Amino acid sequence: MAGKPNRLTQLCYATPALAAAIPTIPAYILLPSLYGDTLGLGLTLTGMLFFVIRLIDMFTDPLVGYLSDHTKTRKPWVIAGAVLAGIGIWFLFNPPAAPSGFYLFGWASLLFIGWTMFQVPYLAWGAELSGDYDQRGNISALREGTGLVGILLAGAVPVVAGINAPLAQTSLLGNVTLVVGVLGVLILALFVPDMLRNKKGVQGDNLKSALTAGAGRKGQKPEKSPSRFDQVRAGLAGLWQNRLFVRLLCAWLINGLANGLPAVCFPLFVRYGLDLSPADQNILILLYFAVAVIAMPVWVMLGGRFGRPVIWCWAMVAAIVAFVFVPVLGQGDFIGFAVICAVTGAALGADLALPPAIQADVDDWDHYRFGASRTGLLFALWNMTNKLALALAAGVAFPVLGAVGLNTGGVMAQSGTAEANQWALGVLVVIYAIVPVVLKIMAVAMMWRFPLGRRHQLALRRRLDRRMS
C-alpha cells in the first residue's frame, strides 16, 4: 500500500496541474471557434477535424495507460508528454493568418497525444500516492483545485491585460503555459515519490498468474506464457466485468458531453445569442471558473461527510436548474447570464473534484475483486471517455450550427430571412442548454444510490491492506 504523503509532497504533486490547466480555456473553448469562425476555416470543417483528432487521441489512452503500468516509474511518461504537448501548444496557439486544415490537424494531434502521455500517468500517480479515503479525496481536490487556479489565471490574464482579440489571447496564454509548465514538471519529477515501483503484484504479473492458472497440475502440460496482447485483452475484459466501473464511466461520458456542448458553443452563444462583447465574454469566463475554485472545497467537504456520489448528483441538479433559464435570456442580458455562469461554475467544481476520487475508489474495488493492479489502464479508459465526450461535442455541434446559418468569418447568413436567423439562434440555444439538461438528468439517474460510499471504501481498504500485508 502506498504511504501517506505529507502536505508538501501533495502540493508538489499538484503543481503541474497549474500549467496543464492554463491552456484549457483556449483548447476547449476558444480554439474551435477561433479556427472555425475567426480565422475562416469553417465551422463544419473545424468541427469534423476536432472530432477526428479526438478519436485518434482517444485510442492512445489505453495504450499509454497499459505501458505506464508496466514501467518502473511514471516519470518518463509525464516528462515526455509535457515536451510534446508544449511543442503542439506553441504552433497551435500561434497560427498563421490563414491556417489550413492540415495545419490544425497536425499540431492539434501532437498537442493532444502529448497531453495523453502526460495526463494518464499523472492521474494514476495521484491515485497511488495514498490509499486513505479522506487523503485520497484531498489529493484529488488539491490537484483539481490547482488546475482550476490555472484556469482562473487563464481567464484573468486577458481581462487584466485588456486583450480581447481571440488570437492574441491564445498566443499569450500559450506562452504563459510553456513557462509555468517547465517549472511545474521539474518540481514533480524531483520531489514527488513514484509509488508504482513499490507496488506489489503489478498488472502483468497478476494477469500472467490468472491466465496460466492450473499449469503444472498433475496430468497437465504447462501453458505458454501469455502474450502482451492476451494480457491487455484479459485486463480489458476484467474491467468491463466491473459493473461499478462501467456505471461510473457511462455517467462520466454523459455528463462530459453535457459539459462539452456548452463549452464549445460558449463564444458563439455570447456573440450571437446574447450579442455581448469580447470583453464581456472574458469577464464571464473568469466568473465561471472563479466560482468553481471557491466552491470546490465545499463540495469536497460535503462529499467526505455525505458521500461523493450523492453530492455529485446534487451538483449536477444545480447545473440543470441553471440551464433551464437560458432560453428566457434576451439580447444583452449580461446579468442574467452571469448568474447562470456562477451556478454552473459552482457545479463544475464538483464535476472536477468528485468523479476522479470516486474513480480511485472504484480502482480499489477493481483491485480487490479481480486481484490485478490496473490503475493506469483504468484511468486511461476514464480519460478516453472524457475525450470521446469532447469529440462528440465539437463533432456534432459545429456541423449542425454551420448547416443552420452560422457562417464562416463570424457573420450570420445575411441573405437569410429573419425567420431563418431566429431558427439558427434557436438551434444554438437547444445545443447550448436544452440538450445538456437532458444529458445531466440521465447522468444523475445513473449515479443515484451508487453503492460505493465512504463506509464501503474504508472496509475495502482494510481488506486490501490485510491481503497485501
Side-chain angles (χ1 to χ4, degrees):
M1 182 187 74
K4 293 186 177 182
N6 58 36
R7 195 64 174 176
L8 180 59
T9 301
Q10 295 178 44
L11 287 171
C12 290
Y13 167 75
T15 299
L18 180 68
I22 292 174
T24 298
I25 291 176
Y28 295 123
I29 299 178
L30 300 179
L31 278 183
S33 61
L34 172 67
Y35 276 84
D37 195 35
T38 305
L39 296 177
L41 197 57
L43 293 178
T44 300
L45 177 59
T46 301
M48 294 308 298
L49 285 174
F50 271 103
F51 179 73
V52 173
I53 291 166
R54 285 294 186 183
L55 285 182
I56 295 174
D57 178 33
M58 185 178 70
F59 288 106
T60 64
D61 283 71
L63 177 62
V64 170
Y66 172 80
L67 293 175
S68 70
D69 274 343
H70 287 78
T71 53
K72 293 182 178 180
T73 173
R74 299 194 191 274
K75 290 182 182 181
W77 291 96
V78 172
I79 295 172
V83 171
L84 292 180
I87 296 172
I89 285 174
W90 173 260
F91 286 97
L92 191 63
F93 287 27
N94 296 276
S100 65
F102 290 106
Y103 184 94
L104 172 60
F105 180 82
W107 294 118
S109 296
L110 181 65
L111 167 60
F112 290 122
I113 289 174
W115 208 324
T116 297
M117 292 176 61
F118 168 85
Q119 190 176 39
V120 170
Y122 180 63
L123 290 175
W125 193 344
E128 293 160 351
L129 280 177
S130 176
D132 180 77
Y133 184 86
D134 291 324
Q135 192 170 58
R136 176 175 284 170
N138 291 335
I139 291 172
S140 176
L142 185 60
R143 179 190 62 230
E144 300 303 329
T146 303
L148 279 178
V149 172
I151 296 175
L152 186 60
L153 178 64
V157 167
V159 174
V160 174
I163 298 175
N164 297 321
L167 184 56
Q169 286 184 35
T170 56
S171 178
L172 175 62
L173 293 176
N175 294 336
V176 172
T177 299
L178 296 178
V179 173
V180 178
V182 171
L183 180 61
V185 172
L186 282 176
I187 291 174
L188 177 74
L190 293 176
F191 300 110
V192 180
D194 192 341
M195 296 300 180
L196 180 63
R197 59 189 174 190
N198 298 323
K199 292 178 71 177
K200 298 180 180 180
V202 297
Q203 178 187 0
D205 295 334
N206 283 317
L207 288 176
K208 284 182 180 180
S209 299
L211 291 169
T212 58
R217 294 175 183 171
K218 186 176 181 180
Q220 293 183 353
K221 295 182 179 180
E223 298 181 13
K224 293 182 179 180
S225 178
S227 66
R228 290 291 190 187
F229 175 78
D230 290 334
Q231 293 177 37
V232 174
R233 184 175 59 183
L236 289 173
L239 287 177
W240 295 122
Q241 293 169 7
N242 186 340
R243 294 185 179 181
L244 292 182
F245 169 70
V246 174
R247 181 173 168 181
L248 176 62
L249 199 66
C250 290
W252 178 246
L253 170 64
I254 293 173
N255 187 64
L257 182 56
N259 290 337
L261 288 172
V264 298
C265 293
F266 183 84
L268 300 176
F269 181 73
V270 169
R271 183 172 189 172
Y272 299 125
L274 299 177
D275 195 26
L276 298 175
S277 68
D280 292 332
Q281 174 182 298
N282 292 338
I283 293 173
L284 289 168
I285 291 175
L286 179 59
L287 172 66
Y288 178 75
F289 289 110
V291 175
V293 172
I294 295 171
M296 177 173 283
V298 178
W299 294 121
V300 173
M301 179 189 66
L302 293 173
R305 182 171 181 179
F306 299 105
R308 289 189 272 263
V310 67
I311 296 302
W312 184 33
C313 286
W314 283 114
M316 288 189 284
V317 170
I320 291 170
V321 173
F323 275 125
V324 166
F325 290 95
V326 168
V328 303
L329 295 175
Q331 294 283 298
D333 195 347
F334 177 85
I335 299 300
F337 191 54
V339 173
I340 292 173
C341 288
V343 176
T344 54
L348 175 68
D351 284 335
L352 294 177
L354 299 180
I358 299 172
Q359 173 76 340
D361 296 339
V362 172
D363 176 46
D364 282 341
W365 166 249
D366 183 77
H367 193 178
Y368 174 78
R369 174 65 178 80
F370 298 98
S373 177
R374 299 179 293 210
T375 306
L377 183 59
L378 190 146
F379 272 94
L381 291 174
W382 177 263
N383 206 38
M384 180 178 175
T385 302
N386 187 49
K387 291 178 179 179
L388 175 60
L390 293 171
L392 291 172
V396 172
F398 273 31
V400 170
L401 292 174
V404 298
L406 286 173
N407 281 356
T408 298
V411 293
M412 294 189 66
Q414 298 299 322
S415 59
T417 64
E419 290 78 8
N421 287 338
Q422 284 300 116
W423 166 249
L425 290 176
V427 173
L428 177 59
V429 170
V430 168
I431 295 176
Y432 179 81
I434 304 304
V435 174
V437 165
V438 175
L439 292 173
K440 281 186 175 289
I441 290 174
M442 295 170 59
V444 170
M446 289 182 180
M447 288 304 298
W448 197 255
R449 298 185 183 277
F450 191 77
L452 190 58
R454 175 186 175 87
R455 178 172 57 85
H456 301 90
Q457 202 276 337
L458 291 175
L460 189 60
R461 285 305 314 179
R462 286 194 294 268
R463 294 179 183 180
L464 278 173
D465 292 344
R466 286 198 296 268
R467 176 186 292 180
M468 298 178 68
S469 60

